[in-house]
Amino acid sequence: MTLPLGDVKPAGWLYDQALSSNRLYKLQVQTDGVAGHMHEFYELVSKSDWIGGHSYYSYLEEAGSYWFNAMVPNGILMNNTIINEKTQEFLDYVLDNQDSTGWLGPEVGTDKPRYLWGRYPFFFGAIQMVEYKPELTDRVVTALHKFVKLANRMLRDGEGVEDWAATRWEDFVIVLQCDTLQRDLRLYDFHPRDEEELLLDTMKRLKWSGVPWEKVFSEDYFPTGPVENLTNPFGMELSWHGVNMAEGLKALPATYRFTRNQSDLDGANASWDLMFKYHGRPSGAYAADEMLAGLEAVRGTELCLVVEAMFSGSYLYQVIGDLKYADRVERMAYNALPATITADMWGRQYLQQQNQVAAKNMSPNPFPEDGPYSNVFGLEPNYPCCTVNFPQGWPKFITNAFLTTPDRRGLIQLYLGPFKVQTTLTGENQVEVTVETLYPFGDTLNTTVLAAKPFIYYVRVPKWVVGGFMVFNDGEQRQIAPDSETGLMGIGVGAGLTNFVLHFPAEITIEKRLHGSVAVHRGPLNYALDIPRSEKIIAQDPHESHAVDLQIEPTGAWEYAINADIATMSFHNEAELVVETHLTYSKLPSPIFDSGKPPWPLAGDMFVTSPPENPKCVGEEGMIKLTPFGATRLRISEFPAFSPNKVLRAGDIGQQAFSVQE
C-alpha cells in the first residue's frame, strides 16, 4: 500500500546535492529547469486549452493533463508555492467547467471530438491532490462519478475510443478500482456512492474496448526484434508503440484486481520478461524509437517510455510483489532517466541511444519511425509530449519509494536512496525516517527511525548486493538475510530512536550484448565512456533564454574495445565515480580514417554502426574511465570486446599509419 503524497520526500543528492560536475542531482534542478517554468512561457502549458487558452498539440488533448499529472507531485514534494498555486488553478478551472453531461476537459463548449484518453493523466493528478488535501475529496469524487456515468454510456455506444484510448484503457481502470497507487480516492472501495455495479461494468467495458494486452504480451505474438517490417496481427500498429506498451504493462495486474484470474498475473510477469529479453537495454529501459526496436545499441528509447515504464513497474510490484520490478525501475531511474536530460534540466531528448556518439540532425536517419532530429537536446525535439510528460519521472519514483504492509503496521523501503518520511501507521504509530546515503553512487545507507510504537521496518535487498551487512547504533552487526520469498529484510524497530547502517556492496558485472559486445554494471548503475564533447546552440525559444536546442558533437576518441575480463576492472568511489577497465585505442586518423575503413565505422552523419565482432584493434592497451551512464550525454556503453592477443602492435602495420593517444 502506498503512502499519501507528501509523506515521502527526497533528501540529500536526490533533493539538491551534486554528485560531481556531471550533476546527477535531481528534483530541485528539475524544479529550477523547464519543468518548473513551463507555466511562464511554454504555450502548451501557459495558454493550454485545458484552462481556457488556445494551445494544444493534437486531438488527443494530453498536453495540459500531462503537465498537471507531473507537476502536482513535483510542487508538493518541493513545497513550491507557485507550482502548487498553478496546479490548484488548473484543477479548479477544469472542475468549474464540467458540463451538464459530465464531460471534463478542453472540449467543453466546443465542437472538438471527445476522446477519453486525455482525461486519464488529469485524473491521476487530481487523485494526488486529494491525497495531499483531503478537503478536496468530495468535490473531486463528485466530478469523477459524474464523468464515469457519461463514459459508461459512451463505451456502450462505441464512442470516445480511438487508437490511443484503445491502448491506454488500463489507466482509467486504475483510477476506478480499489487501486494501490491512489490510496485515498478509491471509488470502488471507499467512494462507491451505491454505484459499485456501474464502476465494475465500466472497468470491464474499458478492457473490452481496448487492445487485448494478454495476447500482445504473449509468446505467440510478441515481437522478438524490430517491428518496422512486420505486420501487426491485431490490426492496430499502436499496440507495438513503445509508450503505449509501457502503459500497457499495467493492464493485466489492473484487470487481475477485479477478475482474480491467476492468468492475468502470469501474463503480467511474462510481459515484463519478454519486453526486456527482446528489447531491453543495459540502462534499464527498452528500445522503441516510436515502435519496438530490438536490441541494437544505436536504436532509440523515448523519454516518455522511460517515465511510464517506471510508473508501471512500481504498480506491478505493488500488485504482484516480485522484486524484479523494483530492481528494474531503480535501474531506469538512475541510468536511463537522467541520461536523456541536460544537467540543468532545461533540455531533453526525444530519443536516447545506448551508443550515442553525437546528438544532432542525423543523416541518414537511423530511426525508422521518428525524425532525424530526435536525439537533439532541446525544448521539444521531434514531438512535444516528452516535454510535458517527463517531469512525472522523479516525483513518482520518490512517492513510491516507501510503502506499507497491507495491514499498515509495517513500513517498507522499496527504492534505495536519500529520503525523509513522516507517516502514521496503524494504531496511531507516528513514524519518522531519515535515510542518508550517496546510493547508488555509494554502498552505505545510514537510517534513523523515530517511532511512537514498535514496528517492523522492511528494506528491499537488490539482487546485486553481495556480502551485505548492517550495524546497529549499539555496535551489533548482522549479515543481510532477506526473506527468501519477498526479498525484503525485516528489521525490528522499537519505540523511540533507532539507528542502523546498511552496507550493500556490489560487484562489477558484465552483460553480454549483440555482436559479442559487452556492457559494464556495478549495482544499479550501468557504466559508459563519457565522450568529450562540444555543444552548439542551434535554436532558442524567443520567450525564454534557457530553453535552447543543443547540437552536441564528439571532440575526443570513442572507438574503444575493452577487455571483458572482470579481473582487469576496478571500482573507485571518488569525486567522480568510475570503473577502470583495460582498453585499446583504435581510432585511425587521416588518411586511413578517410579511406572509409576504420575498425568501427560510422553509419552516416555521426551515428555509429553496431559494435564490430572480434575486433582486431590497433594502438596500445591502456586504462579508461567509465562513468555512470546517467551522467553522460555522448557515450559508448556497449563495447566491442577484444582479447589481448588480438591487439595489433605498431610494428605489425607500420608506425606511420596511425598514432596512439593516451
Side-chain angles (χ1 to χ4, degrees):
M1 304 294 285
T2 58
L3 299 172
L5 176 62
D7 282 16
V8 185
K9 291 191 175 181
W13 75 262
L14 193 55
Y15 178 85
D16 67 355
Q17 297 301 308
L19 170 69
S20 70
S21 59
N22 288 312
R23 291 189 177 183
L24 283 176
Y25 57 101
K26 285 302 150 210
L27 203 53
Q28 183 61 55
V29 182
Q30 174 168 301
T31 308
D32 291 339
V34 69
H37 291 277
M38 278 189 274
H39 64 274
E40 298 170 349
F41 76 98
Y42 193 46
E43 288 197 358
L44 288 172
V45 175
S46 64
K47 297 181 180 178
S48 169
D49 57 356
W50 274 83
I51 52 173
H54 59 77
S55 184
Y56 63 99
Y57 61 70
S58 86
Y59 72 92
L60 296 175
E61 291 291 1
E62 62 190 12
S65 56
Y66 266 153
W67 173 87
F68 179 68
N69 175 40
M71 296 314 293
V72 166
N74 193 140
I76 290 170
L77 292 180
M78 297 307 296
N79 195 27
N80 188 290
T81 301
I82 294 175
I83 293 175
N84 290 342
E85 288 175 352
K86 290 297 178 183
T87 53
Q88 184 66 58
E89 290 171 7
F90 192 103
L91 178 72
D92 290 342
Y93 186 93
V94 175
L95 297 185
D96 288 345
N97 287 276
Q98 184 173 27
D99 71 13
S100 59
T101 69
W103 189 258
L104 289 159
E107 300 86 354
V108 171
T110 74
D111 59 359
K112 294 179 181 180
R114 296 186 170 189
Y115 297 115
L116 293 170
W117 149 243
R119 295 356 64 199
Y120 306 163
F122 168 74
F123 294 151
F124 281 142
I127 287 167
Q128 292 173 95
M129 289 192 72
V130 168
E131 288 188 356
Y132 188 69
K133 292 183 174 181
E135 63 270 23
L136 294 173
T137 300
D138 184 68
R139 188 177 180 214
V140 172
V141 168
T142 298
L144 189 49
H145 267 287
K146 191 175 178 181
F147 182 85
V148 171
K149 292 177 182 177
L150 170 63
N152 187 274
R153 291 197 299 271
M154 293 174 69
L155 291 168
R156 288 174 180 269
D157 294 338
E159 299 173 352
V161 177
E162 41 65 71
D163 287 353
W164 296 92
T167 60
R168 299 181 177 188
W169 54 266
E170 57 280 345
D171 281 7
F172 198 12
V173 170
I174 289 172
V175 169
L176 297 179
Q177 68 184 202
C178 49
D179 64 272
T180 59
L181 292 181
Q182 283 73 44
R183 183 178 67 87
D184 289 318
L185 187 57
R186 288 177 260 158
L187 289 188
Y188 190 81
D189 269 4
F190 289 99
H191 304 283
R193 298 190 178 180
D194 298 321
E195 296 287 359
E196 289 91 342
E197 189 173 324
L198 175 69
L199 292 168
L200 190 57
D201 183 70
T202 305
M203 295 180 214
K204 294 177 179 178
R205 290 185 182 277
L206 284 163
K207 176 176 171 55
W208 297 337
S209 72
V211 168
W213 287 116
E214 67 277 8
K215 294 182 180 179
V216 174
F217 285 123
S218 69
E219 290 199 38
D220 292 338
Y221 296 105
F222 191 81
T224 59
V227 301
E228 55 264 18
N229 296 318
L230 302 179
T231 299
N232 191 299
F234 307 103
M236 185 177 293
E237 185 182 15
L238 288 180
S239 66
W240 284 345
H241 182 272
V243 182
N244 290 344
M245 299 189 90
E247 296 190 41
L249 289 167
K250 298 192 297 290
L252 296 178
T255 55
Y256 167 77
R257 307 211 54 231
F258 62 83
T259 66
R260 296 296 172 182
N261 291 333
Q262 182 61 37
S263 61
D264 286 336
L265 291 191
D266 295 341
N269 267 312
S271 67
W272 191 262
D273 295 341
L274 287 169
M275 181 64 80
F276 293 104
K277 176 180 179 180
Y278 293 113
H279 305 277
R281 290 184 174 278
S283 66
Y286 59 89
D289 35 29
E290 215 63 26
M291 305 298 171
L292 286 180
L295 294 172
E296 291 286 356
V298 75
R299 295 295 293 267
T301 294
E302 185 179 339
L303 178 51
C304 279
L305 178 162
V306 176
V307 297
E308 296 291 356
M310 288 170 57
F311 185 51
S312 291
S314 293
Y315 182 82
L316 281 155
Y317 174 75
Q318 290 161 24
V319 176
I320 298 175
D322 192 327
L323 284 185
K324 71 180 180 183
Y325 303 115
D327 284 352
R328 176 69 66 167
V329 170
E330 198 170 275
R331 193 175 290 281
M332 281 188 269
Y334 291 145
N335 295 283
L337 179 56
T340 194
I341 309 168
T342 57
D344 63 5
M345 298 192 77
W346 272 96
R348 55 82 183 167
Q349 293 176 296
Y350 187 73
L351 300 175
Q352 66 173 269
Q353 297 162 289
Q354 200 74 26
N355 283 355
Q356 181 170 289
V357 301
K360 61 186 294 186
N361 200 25
M362 298 291 189
S363 178
N365 180 12
F367 312 121
E369 301 285 349
D370 280 312
Y373 203 71
S374 293
N375 82 339
V376 168
F377 287 89
L379 179 61
E380 53 174 36
N382 206 54
Y383 294 120
C385 54
C386 291
T387 305
V388 286
N389 192 29
F390 90 80
Q392 72 163 297
W394 284 113
K396 291 190 177 182
F397 175 74
I398 291 164
T399 58
N400 287 298
F402 278 78
L403 308 166
T404 75
T405 54
D407 60 8
R408 297 197 179 278
R409 294 186 180 277
L411 188 65
I412 301 166
Q413 183 177 2
L414 182 66
Y415 299 133
L416 306 183
F419 299 99
K420 289 186 177 181
V421 182
Q422 287 186 306
T423 195
T424 302
L425 301 177
T426 296
E428 297 301 314
N429 188 7
Q430 296 182 1
V431 174
E432 296 182 17
V433 178
T434 301
V435 182
E436 299 176 71
T437 182
L438 287 179
Y439 185 94
F441 318 111
D443 300 336
T444 301
L445 296 93
N446 186 352
T447 304
T448 303
V449 183
L450 178 63
K453 301 176 182 179
F455 73 100
I456 303 297
Y457 184 97
Y458 296 91
V459 64
R460 162 179 151 265
V461 180
K463 64 181 179 182
W464 45 74
V465 171
V466 178
F469 64 96
M470 63 183 299
V471 179
F472 287 91
N473 54 359
D474 61 1
E476 178 193 355
Q477 183 169 321
R478 185 188 309 173
Q479 293 301 115
I480 297 298
D483 179 82
S484 59
E485 183 176 350
T486 67
L488 302 174
M489 181 172 177
I491 303 166
V493 173
L497 192 66
T498 302
N499 176 260
F500 52 89
V501 179
L502 296 167
H503 295 269
F504 280 175
E507 297 179 343
I508 299 171
T509 60
I510 295 296
E511 177 185 355
K512 295 182 179 179
R513 303 293 295 175
L514 292 186
H515 312 292
S517 65
V518 296
V520 180
H521 299 275
R522 185 184 184 278
L525 294 180
N526 176 211
Y527 282 82
L529 172 69
D530 188 9
I531 301 173
R533 62 187 186 267
S534 64
E535 298 180 355
K536 177 183 177 182
I537 295 176
I538 55 177
Q540 186 174 50
D541 186 272
H543 306 294
E544 174 51 70
S545 61
H546 292 91
V548 298
D549 285 8
L550 293 175
Q551 175 176 295
I552 305 179
E553 297 189 82
T555 59
W558 53 265
E559 302 93 330
Y560 292 105
I562 66 172
N563 185 343
D565 182 356
I566 292 177
T568 68
M569 305 180 188
S570 60
F571 172 71
H572 296 267
N573 188 354
E574 300 170 351
E576 288 193 14
L577 304 173
V578 299
V579 170
E580 289 186 351
T581 175
H582 285 287
L583 62 87
T584 181
Y585 175 73
S586 61
K587 182 174 180 177
L588 297 177
S590 179
I592 293 191
F593 185 83
D594 289 343
S595 71
K597 297 180 180 179
W600 192 354
L602 295 171
D605 186 8
M606 293 312 297
F607 64 93
V608 68
T609 58
S610 301
E613 297 186 41
N614 301 312
K616 291 185 177 180
C617 304
V618 299
E620 298 297 324
E621 289 187 55
M623 300 295 290
I624 189 173
K625 288 184 178 181
L626 304 186
T627 61
F629 182 94
T632 65
R633 298 300 165 262
L634 302 184
R635 71 189 71 90
I636 295 295
S637 63
E638 294 188 27
F639 293 89
F642 79 94
S643 298
N645 61 2
K646 291 186 178 180
V647 178
L648 302 181
R649 303 300 178 186
D652 296 332
I653 60 176
Q655 292 189 32
Q656 74 279 8
F658 70 97
S659 61
V660 175
Q661 177 176 327
E662 294 296 340

